[in-house]
Amino acid sequence: MTLDASATLEVDPLIDNPATRIIVCCGSGGVGKTTTAAALGVRAAERGRKVVVLTIDPARRLAQSMGIDSLDNTPRRVKGIEGEGELHAMMLDMKRTFDEIVEAHADAERARAILENPFYQSLSAGFAGTQEYMAMEKLGQLRARDEWDLIVVDTPPSRSALDFLDAPGRLGSFLDGKFIKLLMAPAKMGGRAGMKFLNVGMSMMTGTLGKLLGGQLLRDVQTFIAAMDTMFGGFRTRADATYRLLQAPGTAFLVVAAPERDALREAAYFVERLAAEEMPLAGLVLNRVHGSGAARLSAERALAAAENLDEGRIVDQRSGKTGVRDATGASPESPSVDETDHTDHTTEQLTAGLLRLHAERMQVLAREQRTRDRFTALHPEVAVAQVPALPGDVHDLAGLRAIGDRLATGGDDPAGAA
């Protein structure tokens, strides 16, 4: 089965459809999710929609490509968009998002106690899964504002593409877990009874934890839990609401991958996970697909021609002569090697080198095709858009437009790809 066996992903109908309100670009790290999300945002805006792109990429390439000095937790309008639409961009600040949740769901005194708590500061800045969870929180906030026609989400760079879906459950389980509830028990009991319970009933546990974590850290955790008690249920509720939002018909997932074995294996796993979670998959974006304008010359023929040049077995076409050159580059009719012969020999070396480079390119193309074929054999129902590799990095709106154009014609042969 070849790539042609899969349907072509039609990007323009997807972004033009007013029913499409959220597009989530997901996939393993380093496959071009940020560039894809930004290019989709630019194209949708220039086709008339009011778009916000939420990125979680720490490299800040999105800001650079959009001509913005810096992105932060506030959507900022991008200048230079052509057409009637608007494009806004923002970069997730996970700690600031966590702070906003606390400020919105606690009174001023309790919010201050939480924000100043050392354990909270560590949790909000670096707890495993916090970034992914806060991305979900921010998505929910943006959708609730109903200010944009389309939200494009660039999911966090992580070891596994599944972290984005798993994070709300992990953080919710942590906050609702037995360990937290156990630590919360003294605060819930209150007064002397609570202190007695803490000093007697939990002395063994807290003593052990105090040795492992440090007594001050344990006290910070307990103070944090007491202050956050009324908010724990809200985390789970909002996570569930955002999860349902991702399952809604107005959401479309795009799995982004490179034509490499590991990236497409991860993409296949993600496709299966989305299906299991009943989340709407629009298709696969295959980035950095290589091509050649001389694909008719196979790798085998190119290598054979290079070998013939190296061994001097190329027919001498000068002055109508048809003799075969020897290893020095001289033909039998020209026993002396003059300056012209030396130039011809150098040209032959360069030609042989170019033929070998072409052979390497054709081997890359064949390997990418085999990798794509394996994916489409497993998932023939997944529509695919392939984006030819560009000769350089994308660093401005023009580059993002070029990516958008390639996305829109994603089924074409990338013969002119770099």
Side-chain angles (χ1 to χ4, degrees):
M1 183 178 292
T2 67
L3 185 62
D4 294 334
S6 293
T8 298
L9 172 61
E10 297 183 353
V11 169
D12 284 348
L14 176 68
I15 61 178
D16 290 346
N17 186 352
T20 304
R21 302 299 302 275
I22 298 172
I23 295 177
V24 181
C25 297
C26 52
S28 55
V31 296
K33 293 193 302 292
T34 301
T35 302
T36 299
L40 286 170
V42 171
R43 190 168 184 86
E46 295 192 335
R47 294 174 69 86
R49 303 199 71 181
K50 187 175 182 181
V51 187
V52 61
V53 176
L54 168 62
T55 183
I56 303 95
D57 181 18
R60 300 186 183 276
R61 290 169 297 174
L62 178 63
Q64 296 169 1
S65 65
M66 294 185 172
I68 301 175
D69 292 336
S70 63
L71 290 178
D72 55 24
N73 221 36
T74 302
R76 299 183 182 277
R77 187 166 181 175
V78 177
K79 298 178 180 178
I81 294 298
E82 301 171 356
E84 298 179 357
E86 294 181 14
L87 178 62
H88 301 251
M90 62 182 297
M91 180 177 291
L92 178 74
D93 182 334
M94 65 176 181
K95 186 179 187 311
R96 182 57 200 149
T97 300
F98 212 150
D99 291 350
E100 290 171 353
I101 296 169
V102 172
E103 292 166 353
H105 295 89
D107 58 61
E109 183 178 352
R110 178 167 292 192
R112 184 172 60 255
I114 295 171
L115 297 177
E116 293 176 355
N117 183 275
F119 179 73
Y120 167 78
Q121 293 173 0
S122 298
L123 174 71
S124 60
F127 184 77
T130 302
Q131 187 181 53
E132 288 82 0
Y133 178 85
M134 290 306 150
M136 297 279 276
E137 281 275 0
K138 183 56 68 176
L139 171 58
Q141 291 174 11
L142 292 172
R143 185 67 183 86
R145 289 168 62 176
D146 202 25
E147 186 176 342
W148 293 277
D149 298 336
L150 178 64
I151 303 169
V152 182
V153 183
D154 163 35
T155 55
S158 58
R159 182 184 60 81
S160 171
L162 304 178
D163 287 349
F164 182 67
L165 293 178
D166 290 335
R170 287 205 310 271
L171 189 59
S173 297
F174 168 74
L175 295 174
D176 292 341
K178 293 180 179 179
F179 173 70
I180 292 294
K181 291 178 179 178
L182 190 60
L183 290 177
M184 195 188 304
K188 280 183 173 293
M189 294 181 68
R192 293 181 179 179
M195 291 303 298
K196 183 178 180 180
F197 179 79
L198 177 62
N199 292 331
V200 179
M202 297 183 67
S203 58
M204 184 176 295
M205 185 199 75
T206 55
T208 302
L209 287 174
K211 292 177 181 178
L212 292 173
L213 306 177
Q216 183 58 50
L217 176 58
L218 184 57
R219 286 190 292 274
D220 290 339
V221 172
Q222 291 170 330
T223 303
F224 163 77
I225 290 168
M228 288 282 288
D229 181 15
T230 59
M231 296 182 58
F232 286 156
F235 284 98
R236 173 70 70 181
T237 300
R238 288 191 302 277
D240 291 343
T242 305
Y243 206 77
R244 289 193 298 271
L245 181 64
L246 292 176
Q247 293 176 315
T251 299
F253 279 83
L254 289 177
V255 177
V256 184
E260 300 166 1
R261 184 179 60 181
D262 291 343
L264 276 173
R265 182 188 296 120
E266 187 81 6
Y269 188 27
F270 203 81
V271 165
E272 293 162 6
R273 172 66 185 277
L274 290 172
E277 299 291 338
E278 298 181 346
M279 292 189 175
L281 173 65
L284 171 74
V285 173
L286 201 58
N287 269 333
R288 303 167 190 158
V289 178
H290 292 90
S292 172
R296 294 176 62 184
L297 178 60
S298 67
E300 293 76 12
R301 290 174 58 196
L303 288 173
E307 184 177 347
N308 286 340
L309 281 170
D310 287 339
E311 296 179 359
R313 294 202 300 267
I314 298 297
V315 174
D316 188 352
Q317 299 292 341
R318 292 175 303 158
S319 304
K321 299 174 182 177
T322 57
V324 178
R325 299 185 185 185
D326 60 23
T328 67
S331 66
E333 291 83 359
S334 304
S336 62
V337 180
D338 56 17
E339 184 176 346
T340 301
D341 290 323
H342 177 74
T343 300
D344 288 345
H345 186 63
T346 302
T347 301
E348 290 165 1
Q349 289 179 320
L350 291 173
T351 304
L354 290 173
L355 285 167
R356 288 193 174 88
L357 285 175
H358 175 76
E360 291 177 6
R361 169 57 65 90
M362 295 307 296
Q363 290 167 351
V364 168
L365 265 61
R367 184 169 63 250
E368 290 181 355
Q369 183 65 52
R370 289 193 299 271
T371 305
R372 294 196 298 269
D373 288 348
R374 281 195 291 269
F375 176 87
T376 53
L378 288 171
H379 299 285
E381 78 285 356
V382 178
V384 179
Q386 54 178 346
V387 181
L390 296 178
D393 292 334
V394 175
H395 59 274
D396 55 18
L397 287 178
L400 291 175
R401 288 190 187 99
I403 293 291
D405 290 342
R406 286 163 170 78
L407 278 167
T409 56
D412 291 350
D413 181 14

